[in-house]
Amino acid sequence: VSDGDITTYYALANDFHTGLIAASGNAVLFRMYEQIRRQLRRYQAAMSRMPELPRRSIAEHARILKAIDARDARAAQEAAAGHIRGLVEQFKALDAPRPAKDKRP
């Protein structure tokens, strides 16, 4: 991210999410994730226009992993839910109508 290599960031973020789901040991959840993962690519493209997002996402992923390593299910759930809420808010902001530009001479 520091070098501006967003392509590698998204590949690593994908690995993080896939690894997290796989580590759950839940085959049904993994199959569901694989189905929606393809659809998430278009959101990644839209989010790539937000330069602050990768750094924030990395910090959020670190909080999730720290809670998992500490075996603190509640903290992991809260960190994951906060991560998802933040992304949803970012998606909404992308979709929000922009004010019309003043076309007066």
Side-chain angles (χ1 to χ4, degrees):
V1 171
S2 296
D3 294 338
D5 188 355
I6 299 302
T7 301
T8 299
Y9 160 75
Y10 281 118
L12 292 171
N14 180 61
D15 290 349
F16 170 81
H17 294 117
T18 302
L20 196 59
I21 299 297
S24 75
N26 186 325
V28 174
L29 177 63
F30 190 80
R31 282 194 306 274
M32 290 173 59
Y33 175 71
E34 285 297 305
Q35 290 174 356
I36 65 168
R37 185 172 61 112
R38 292 178 207 109
Q39 296 171 5
L40 293 175
R41 288 186 185 139
R42 68 182 170 150
Y43 294 107
Q44 286 179 334
M47 299 303 270
S48 69
R49 294 180 296 192
M50 299 179 177
E52 74 283 355
L53 183 69
R55 288 186 198 287
R56 190 182 85 203
S57 192
I58 289 168
E60 291 169 352
H61 288 172
R63 280 194 291 278
I64 293 166
L65 285 177
K66 183 178 179 181
I68 290 169
D69 284 343
R71 298 190 177 275
D72 187 339
R74 182 180 177 132
Q77 187 277 331
E78 289 173 359
H83 178 57
I84 293 167
R85 273 192 307 274
L87 290 172
V88 168
E89 291 304 315
Q90 291 291 331
F91 290 142
K92 286 179 182 178
L94 281 175
D95 248 4
R98 291 183 172 78
K101 290 184 180 180
D102 191 357
K103 296 184 180 182
R104 287 182 269 160

